[in-house]
């Protein structure tokens, strides 16, 4: 090809791209956005490489730095919500990271998950699914949604202190979500959160998500219907379970919430085997595809006066 031919070819390509963009604009749609599990997988790998990341540790501080750097690379703004909480092992410094992608409305759809790992002294617990998969997913979904035209503001919430410091009894769990909801109640911002999609332990190779009876039924229905349309009903199975997780402070405060979690099927849960061998990028892709497919239905439902 000579220079003129190259110029002609690139001009033609430019015109074609402009026509495509015009067609998209005419149809009134935002260009399709796609969850890239390759990127999510790289985040998961980097987080696991930091090592155990329990609340209050130097390693969770490193984790926060990583999350903030990646959000900055996606041009997504983030603020710290820091506090010291009383745990069975004394006062512990915790930080939720609140990332915001402004939309047409100031009302918010939240996508949340925890980034801490459970403290184990007798083993090296790196939480590939339990802690890394949710944080990695949130980083990639933030990048994707930043490129989308969002009718609602999207808040991507990275929660600290989901794990029990000792045992999941009393208030020794869900420190981050309880703190967030209490603060949002106090400052009056809770009412603008219209829906909350929580992800937790979504990395398992043979991921199996069940409908959680503590989640909000209409939100569960929308997500499971989206999974069926995506032919992912082998991952989003028609079985029930009942889960206590970071969504409960939200549902108890009246925020519709759905927990996407594989608790029953993950043999590696809270063992040293919850490492890179136990997780797969394909599972992250399935959840990404379903959440993105469900989002327009959630938005439509929230826009309908009722
Ligand atoms: Zn856990």
């Amino acid at each position: 090809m000579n220079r003129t031919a190259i110029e002609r070819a690139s001009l033609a390509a430019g015109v074609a791209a402009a026509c495509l963009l015009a067609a998209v604009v005419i149809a009134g749609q935002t260009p399709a956005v796609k969850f890239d599990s390759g990127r999510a997988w790289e985040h998961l790998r980097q987080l696991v490489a930091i090592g155990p990341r329990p609340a209050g540790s130097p390693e969770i501080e490193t984790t926060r730095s990583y999350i903030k750097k990646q959000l900055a690379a996606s041009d997504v703004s983030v603020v710290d919500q820091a506090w010291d909480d009383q745990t069975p092992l004394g006062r512990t410094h915790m930080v939720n990271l609140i990332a915001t992608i402004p939309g047409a409305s100031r009302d918010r759809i939240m996508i949340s998950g925890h980034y801490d790992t459970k403290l184990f002294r007798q083993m090296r617990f790196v939480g590939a699914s339990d802690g890394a998969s949710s944080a990695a997913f949130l980083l990639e979904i933030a990048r994707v949604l930043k490129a989308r035209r969002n009718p609602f503001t999207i808040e991507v919430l990275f929660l600290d202190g989901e794990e029990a410091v000792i045992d999941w009894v009393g208030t020794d769990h869900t420190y981050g979500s309880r703190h967030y909801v209490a603060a949002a109640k106090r400052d009056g911002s809770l009412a603008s959160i219209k829906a909350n999609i929580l992800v937790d332990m979504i990395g398992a190779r043979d991921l199996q998500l069940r409908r959680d009876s503590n989640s909000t039924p209409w939100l569960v229905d929308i997500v499971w219907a989206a999974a069926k349309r995506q032919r992912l009903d082998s991952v989003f199975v028609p079985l029930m379970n009942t889960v206590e997780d970071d969504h409960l402070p939200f549902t108890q405060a009246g925020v519709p919430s759905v927990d996407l979690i594989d608790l029953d099927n993950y043999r590696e849960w809270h063992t040293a085997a919850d490492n890179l061998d136990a997780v797969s990028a394909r599972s992250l892709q399935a959840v990404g595809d379903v959440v993105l497919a469900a989002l327009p239905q959630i938005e439509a439902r929230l826009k309908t006066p009722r």
Side-chain angles (χ1 to χ4, degrees):
M1 230 193 269
N2 63 33
R3 192 169 179 80
T4 318
I6 292 169
E7 278 164 5
R8 231 181 269 133
S10 63
L11 180 67
V15 169
C19 289
L20 183 66
L21 186 65
V24 168
V25 169
I26 287 164
Q29 297 164 347
T30 31
V33 289
K34 185 96 178 85
F35 188 91
D36 181 351
S37 59
R39 288 174 179 267
W41 179 260
E42 180 57 19
H43 294 315
L44 187 153
R45 219 178 55 76
Q46 297 279 355
L47 293 167
V48 165
I50 294 170
R53 309 174 296 285
S57 67
E59 289 78 12
I60 202 167
E61 192 61 58
T62 307
T63 305
R64 279 192 283 277
S65 302
Y66 178 81
I67 290 171
K68 288 180 183 177
K69 200 171 154 198
Q70 296 303 319
L71 289 170
S74 299
D75 196 24
V76 173
S77 63
V78 58
V79 295
D80 285 13
Q81 181 181 48
W83 76 104
D84 291 336
D85 217 318
Q86 194 60 45
T87 79
L89 293 181
R91 288 194 83 72
T92 302
H93 185 63
M94 299 193 193
V95 185
N96 294 329
L97 299 173
I98 305 170
T100 302
I101 302 164
S105 165
R106 292 174 77 152
D107 283 346
R108 287 170 287 165
I109 294 175
M110 172 180 279
I111 306 177
S112 57
H114 77 92
Y115 71 95
D116 63 309
T117 58
K118 180 159 170 57
L119 173 68
F120 289 100
R121 294 227 162 96
Q122 67 281 25
M123 63 166 169
R124 184 178 154 80
F125 178 76
V126 296
S129 191
D130 196 359
S133 71
S134 40
F137 177 90
L138 295 181
L139 283 174
E140 172 57 7
I141 205 88
R143 184 193 69 84
V144 170
L145 293 177
K146 174 72 183 181
R148 178 180 185 259
R149 200 172 304 155
N150 298 297
F152 290 87
T153 293
I154 304 285
E155 182 167 310
V156 180
L157 176 62
F158 297 79
L159 291 161
D160 200 347
E162 185 266 350
E163 298 287 1
V165 171
I166 305 285
D167 283 318
W168 192 284
V169 287
T171 57
D172 186 15
H173 53 78
T174 60
Y175 293 92
S177 51
R178 288 186 293 110
H179 180 83
Y180 180 99
V181 169
K185 274 182 179 169
R186 275 197 306 272
D187 69 18
S189 64
L190 192 73
S192 68
I193 307 171
K194 300 303 179 186
N196 178 19
I197 302 169
L198 174 68
V199 294
D200 191 4
M201 296 172 61
I202 52 166
R205 277 180 181 277
D206 52 350
L207 184 67
Q208 194 188 86
L209 303 171
R210 301 183 184 190
R211 300 170 63 109
D212 160 44
S213 65
N214 281 335
S215 293
T216 306
W218 69 259
L219 207 43
V220 176
D221 287 344
I222 285 179
V223 172
W224 259 253
K228 212 170 171 89
R229 286 199 309 279
Q230 299 282 311
R231 297 199 170 88
L232 285 167
D233 33 0
S234 59
V235 176
F236 291 73
V237 298
L239 297 171
M240 297 289 300
N241 62 358
T242 302
V243 179
E244 290 179 22
D245 203 351
D246 277 322
H247 59 321
L248 291 195
F250 288 91
T251 54
Q252 283 159 6
V255 178
S257 305
V258 58
D259 189 10
L260 307 181
I261 182 170
D262 182 350
L263 192 56
D264 311 80
N265 201 46
Y266 192 55
R267 286 186 307 277
E268 294 82 359
W269 178 64
H270 287 185
T271 73
D274 183 2
N275 57 34
L276 288 183
D277 293 336
V279 293
S280 90
R282 207 156 35 127
S283 300
L284 300 174
Q285 187 69 52
V287 179
D289 287 347
V290 169
V291 167
L292 289 179
L295 203 49
Q297 267 70 47
I298 295 169
E299 290 161 344
R301 154 104 190 193
L302 294 177
K303 277 194 241 170
T304 311
R306 60 187 61 240

